[in-house]
Amino acid sequence: MADHDVATRAPESDAQEAPSAPVGQSIFPGDTPAQAGPTMGDHCTTDRPTPTGEIPTGELAKLGGVDVYVTKPADYPHAPSKLLLLLTGGTGYKSTNNQLQADKYAGEGYLVVMPDQFDNDPAPNSVDMTQLSQDASWLDSIKLKTAEGMKAFMIDMWLARHTPEKVLPLLHKVVEGAKEEFADAVSNGGGIYGVGYCFGAKYILQLAGEHPDTVAWGQEAPKDEEQGTVKKAPVIKAGAIAHGTMVTKEDLEAVKVPVYIAAVKDDPLFPEDEVLTPGRRAMEKNNVEHEIQVFPGVPHGFAVLGDYDDPKIKQSQAQAFGEMLGWIQSH
């Protein structure tokens, strides 16, 4: 069986597509038409099986009035650390897999803050998509199709509740709270680092960009061109993302700090022709340090911590973590 087949057949696939907007439109106002079509998949709404025997070691807390998961190096604060902002997919900060992922970065010397960017409203759980048996009734088939449609509808409604206008203000509260609570880690790292997966990848890119002041804080761009000309500097000093969703070429065009991008080959959720390639050209033109690595034969969402039967996906998951960690370590 070819690698591509492995990556797209159940049960390994995390790339179930759910259309979120009419053709030519985006769930986010102002985004390019390239973002119409598939927007979220099962990778963002359902965790993979948790690796056996692993238990999160961090704690739930609040920063800037926002719920967060915080995990620290074992020798902190006796040894210096650096602050890392980790933004998740739709499963959110209470996901065991996401917490374990944060712990892995903490094990490498980072004080990790993983915020509840969904304000206690994580993505709807995926319905059971188990294959019907050969003797399943016609009614069972209808029920399955109805469940699929209902899941897509629920995800669309959820996405409509979590736009940049809602998410960015929460993130800025967390950043300001972290600067106060963990000033030593921010100072030691010379700023804040960021990593993002799936839904969270878009927002790491936005925090890595230079935007009009209002837009940077999750507000609409001013109608009057004479207003809002002051640009907000990037919030993070370097970032690394994996298989972003809802990313636009404008997000990449605005990036001003070093970024690493782990992408999936032929990924409809992060299209190469409409988003990745023009974004790469823009970063080259703007002299922004960047690296884009495309992983073939894996499903969208492969880099999110979770168990797979396929050894190739497991290997790619470990490789992506190593590349993302190496990028922020080198910056």
Side-chain angles (χ1 to χ4, degrees):
M1 182 182 296
D3 287 341
H4 178 73
D5 294 333
V6 171
T8 56
R9 288 181 57 187
E12 297 296 345
S13 176
D14 284 355
Q16 303 293 332
E17 298 171 9
S20 66
V23 175
Q25 297 183 21
S26 166
I27 196 74
F28 291 157
D31 278 358
T32 58
Q35 285 307 100
T39 54
M40 292 278 284
D42 284 349
H43 64 279
C44 249
T45 61
T46 306
D47 276 330
R48 297 292 307 175
T50 300
T52 303
E54 297 190 28
I55 301 174
T57 58
E59 61 183 4
L60 299 181
K62 281 186 179 289
L63 283 177
V66 179
D67 290 323
V68 296
Y69 176 79
V70 178
T71 180
K72 307 169 184 177
D75 52 358
Y76 177 84
H78 303 293
S81 182
K82 298 179 180 180
L83 190 72
L84 175 66
L85 180 70
L86 191 156
L87 302 185
T88 71
T91 49
Y93 80 118
K94 287 186 176 180
S95 154
T96 299
N97 283 358
N98 291 339
Q99 292 178 357
L100 290 172
Q101 189 127 47
D103 290 348
K104 290 185 66 175
Y105 287 103
E108 298 293 339
Y110 289 89
L111 193 162
V112 185
V113 172
M114 184 169 67
D116 176 15
Q117 58 196 359
F118 308 119
D119 196 18
N120 200 32
D121 179 31
N125 289 332
S126 173
V127 298
D128 185 3
M129 305 301 287
T130 305
Q131 295 289 328
L132 293 176
S133 63
Q134 292 183 351
D135 59 352
S137 69
W138 172 81
L139 181 59
D140 288 334
S141 299
I142 295 297
K143 287 180 179 179
L144 181 60
K145 291 182 181 299
T146 301
E148 290 174 346
M150 181 59 69
K151 184 183 73 169
F153 173 76
M154 291 174 63
I155 291 176
D156 286 351
M157 294 298 292
W158 178 80
L159 283 169
R161 296 195 298 271
H162 298 290
T163 62
E165 290 75 22
K166 296 292 183 65
V167 176
L168 283 171
L170 292 173
L171 298 182
H172 280 286
K173 289 179 181 179
V174 171
V175 166
E176 293 306 311
K179 287 180 178 178
E180 181 176 346
E181 181 75 16
F182 304 116
D184 58 330
V186 176
S187 176
N188 184 57
I192 297 174
Y193 296 88
V195 294
Y197 298 83
C198 303
F199 185 101
K202 176 182 177 73
Y203 291 92
I204 289 297
L205 291 175
Q206 292 204 338
L207 296 178
E210 183 180 69
H211 303 277
D213 186 62
T214 51
V215 175
W217 286 86
Q219 303 171 21
E220 292 185 3
K223 300 295 189 295
D224 186 342
E225 292 184 1
E226 294 182 359
Q227 300 178 19
T229 54
V230 176
K231 294 272 183 100
K232 196 80 173 179
V235 174
I236 61 176
K237 65 174 295 183
I241 69 166
H243 38 68
T245 60
M246 313 301 293
V247 174
T248 69
K249 66 182 182 68
E250 288 81 5
D251 292 332
L252 293 169
E253 288 169 351
V255 168
K256 297 298 180 185
V257 302
V259 294
Y260 167 86
I261 298 174
V264 174
K265 184 174 177 58
D266 300 324
D267 184 359
L269 299 175
F270 197 177
E272 183 174 355
D273 292 342
E274 297 89 346
V275 179
L276 195 55
T277 296
R280 184 205 304 265
R281 290 170 181 164
M283 289 188 287
E284 290 173 350
K285 180 181 178 181
N286 296 334
N287 294 317
V288 173
E289 184 183 357
H290 65 281
E291 181 179 341
I292 299 175
Q293 187 171 3
V294 178
F295 289 78
V298 295
H300 186 108
F302 78 96
V304 176
L305 188 80
D307 199 13
Y308 285 93
D309 292 331
D310 188 329
K312 176 177 176 56
I313 301 177
K314 287 184 176 182
Q315 180 183 359
S316 294
Q317 184 180 105
Q319 181 182 354
F321 174 78
E323 296 288 350
M324 295 172 74
L325 174 64
W327 183 264
I328 59 175
Q329 286 177 331
S330 65
H331 292 86

